[in-house]
Amino acid sequence: MKIGIVGTGNISLRHINEFNSIPNVKVEAVCDISEKNLTKFLSNNEGSNIRGYLSLEDMLEKEKMFDGISNTTPDKFHKETTLQILERGYNVFCEKPLAENYNDAKDMVNAAIQSKKINMVNFTYRESSAYQKLVEFIKSGEIGKPRHVSASYYQSWLTSNKWGDWRKEDKWLWRLSTKHGSNGALGDTGVHIFDFAVNAVGDIKEIFTDLKTYYDKGKKIKEYTLDANDGFNSLVRFENGAIGTISNTRYATGHANSLILEVFCTKGALKVELDEERKKWSKLNVCMDENINKMTWKTIECQKTNSNYQNFIKSIQTKSNIQPDFFQGAKIQNIIDKCIESNETGRWISI
Ligand SMILES: NC(=O)c1ccc[n+]([C@@H]2O[C@H](COP(=O)([O-])OP(=O)(O)OC[C@H]3O[C@@H](n4cnc5c(N)ncnc54)[C@H](O)[C@@H]3O)[C@@H](O)[C@H]2O)c1
């Protein structure tokens, strides 16, 4: 199967490695509007005969046929590039967040429906086998009904140099400045933790969100004001009656990249804790039955599950769209818009 990639920045390296590791799948062509990034990508992949182009139009014009195209451009380009891909009749795997706002996300959903092509959003943390088991537990009813939820996404790149120095490298700006097209932590990592919670527990009915920008970290880099939010706390009421807190910050010293989800249900409790090294991605913690009175948690080692990349390929092969699709991406985008509205008005907002 022949795959194309739009955008040859940081995350594209993961895309090429993941796709090329699937039997009979190969990234054949890539494009980027930055010659520097394209050249670097091609030289890193020398010997693999990948063809490079300086625009998506050129790639779509000159290449004969793709089975699917991966979109790894920055957030503000997702809509225009994805619509071009769908118009040409190709299946598309788009990086998160699906769009910059709910209206754009809905346009992308409609285009995907019209094209009848496979459409997926790369909500990476769905790949955890422990998380998938947690979802299964809840959906089966085995652990009862969700009552109380705690979901956190912690990073610390504002306080540590583990991933580099945001004060010195331009690559951080799209996460820090609205002028650069950023929705801050909310649009970058918030989408992941909302997808994580909603997919497991159910739809959110109402939300109250407090966004925070730490201006004391500095006001500007070059002409860019560092005005994007650095974190948030949301109170949520789910449709099924459960309540919860959803929290996200880049100021969580001691955490490189941790997602923690705890769901307390009527017949027990479930917990996953994803770490940067993926050592805990297969470990689901469960407290139920006789362990409830002993305060004891049993850790279940869950069998490896498909990556999103494997599921995209499988969806194309079987002509059946595996989740998360654009509809889910748009649902999460709607929540992000409502968080902004809640922060601006100081009110609970219906979803
Ligand atoms: N799923 C995840 O966990 C995860 C992790 C990191 C980043 N991301 C997402 O991936 C996307 C890219 O992030 P990144 O860190 O790789 O960014 P990046 O800036 O390193 O790379 C993006 C590349 O796209 C190119 N580009 C921009 N507009 C283009 C266009 N119209 N046509 C072709 N190329 C174009 C840029 O020149 C750049 O080389 C973002 O939307 C981000 O949210 C997702």
Side-chain angles (χ1 to χ4, degrees):
M1 291 175 80
K2 183 176 158 182
I3 301 295
I5 299 181
V6 194
T8 55
N10 289 319
I11 198 73
S12 66
L13 305 178
R14 179 160 199 103
H15 285 237
I16 184 168
N17 290 337
E18 290 280 354
F19 281 121
N20 282 350
S21 71
I22 304 171
N24 304 318
V25 176
K26 188 170 177 295
V27 173
E28 297 268 358
V30 297
C31 66
D32 199 302
I33 51 173
S34 153
E35 194 167 1
K36 186 173 145 227
N37 290 1
L38 180 67
T39 309
K40 190 172 161 205
F41 182 97
L42 292 174
S43 70
N44 281 341
N45 290 285
E46 232 170 12
S48 54
N49 293 323
I50 299 177
R51 297 169 293 283
Y53 299 91
L54 279 170
S55 74
L56 174 58
E57 292 79 7
D58 208 18
M59 183 170 92
L60 294 174
E61 202 54 47
K62 303 222 170 93
E63 290 291 320
K64 292 268 173 315
M65 225 282 290
F66 289 106
D67 293 289
I69 296 186
S70 224
N71 189 348
T72 70
T73 59
D75 308 1
K76 67 175 168 183
F77 300 106
H78 287 178
K79 182 182 171 184
E80 67 179 66
T81 45
T82 296
L83 292 187
Q84 274 178 273
I85 295 166
L86 287 168
E87 267 162 30
R88 293 294 286 252
Y90 293 126
N91 302 303
V92 61
F93 182 67
C94 186
E95 263 306 341
K96 49 53 58 175
L98 185 57
E100 286 188 287
N101 55 62
Y102 185 44
N103 278 338
D104 284 354
K106 277 193 295 192
D107 289 345
M108 293 167 80
V109 172
N110 289 335
I113 291 170
Q114 269 188 355
S115 73
K116 299 195 175 70
K117 292 292 154 189
I118 299 298
N119 53 93
M120 281 183 71
V121 189
N122 194 18
F123 287 130
T124 306
Y125 303 99
R126 294 244 190 151
E127 294 179 354
S128 153
S129 56
Y131 171 72
Q132 291 191 21
K133 191 81 188 158
L134 177 147
V135 175
E136 235 178 83
F137 251 107
I138 295 175
K139 303 260 183 276
S140 71
E142 201 182 336
I143 196 98
K145 293 192 172 77
R147 286 285 189 250
H148 193 99
V149 180
S150 167
S152 310
Y153 191 155
Y154 294 143
Q155 293 185 332
S156 64
W157 54 267
L158 276 179
T159 67
S160 75
N161 63 6
K162 177 142 168 67
W163 292 346
D165 190 342
W166 58 270
R167 292 171 194 84
K168 296 191 182 131
E169 294 160 296
D170 283 357
K171 69 173 185 178
W172 299 96
L173 274 174
W174 68 260
R175 292 185 161 101
L176 292 164
S177 172
T178 55
K179 190 174 168 188
H180 223 277
S182 180
N183 254 338
L186 194 58
D188 180 16
T189 40
V191 288
H192 281 302
I193 197 68
F194 277 116
D195 175 67
F196 215 55
V198 166
N199 178 53
V201 180
D203 287 343
I204 294 173
K205 191 173 158 206
E206 290 165 301
I207 194 157
F208 183 93
T209 297
D210 186 23
L211 295 175
K212 183 75 183 170
T213 307
Y214 291 105
Y215 285 109
D216 61 357
K217 70 183 183 295
K219 284 236 163 29
K220 266 190 159 191
I221 292 179
K222 296 182 191 159
E223 74 272 30
Y224 294 103
T225 305
L226 307 184
D227 55 353
N229 62 81
D230 296 311
F232 65 88
N233 286 315
S234 289
L235 290 176
V236 298
R237 294 172 183 148
F238 291 91
E239 294 276 3
N240 59 17
I243 58 167
T245 52
I246 300 183
S247 178
N248 181 200
T249 180
R250 326 160 146 169
Y251 233 96
T253 299
H255 292 268
N257 196 49
S258 311
L259 283 87
I260 305 158
L261 177 64
E262 288 178 282
V263 189
F264 302 100
C265 304
T266 48
K267 293 187 193 166
L270 301 165
K271 178 177 180 175
V272 288
E273 188 172 357
L274 309 193
D275 53 339
E276 202 201 7
E277 297 77 22
R278 297 196 176 209
K279 285 186 189 146
K280 300 184 191 166
W281 283 42
S282 58
K283 297 181 190 326
L284 172 65
N285 302 296
V286 186
C287 180
M288 65 190 298
D289 303 327
E290 69 280 2
N291 283 338
I292 291 178
N293 292 327
K294 295 190 215 153
M295 309 298 135
T296 305
W297 292 74
K298 184 176 152 198
T299 303
I300 300 175
E301 187 63 40
C302 305
Q303 291 231 322
K304 204 171 179 336
T305 42
N306 272 354
S307 67
N308 288 340
Y309 307 86
Q310 288 168 323
N311 278 338
F312 178 59
I313 296 300
K314 193 174 166 196
S315 298
I316 297 169
Q317 286 167 335
T318 58
K319 295 190 171 54
S320 168
N321 216 128
I322 299 172
Q323 291 292 325
D325 63 4
F326 278 15
F327 186 81
Q328 176 70 10
K331 182 190 280 187
I332 300 303
Q333 199 64 51
N334 184 31
I335 297 171
I336 298 302
D337 285 12
K338 297 292 162 64
C339 286
I340 295 168
E341 190 184 338
S342 171
N343 182 66
E344 281 170 2
T345 58
R347 294 213 174 111
W348 281 87
I349 306 290
S350 299
I351 300 286

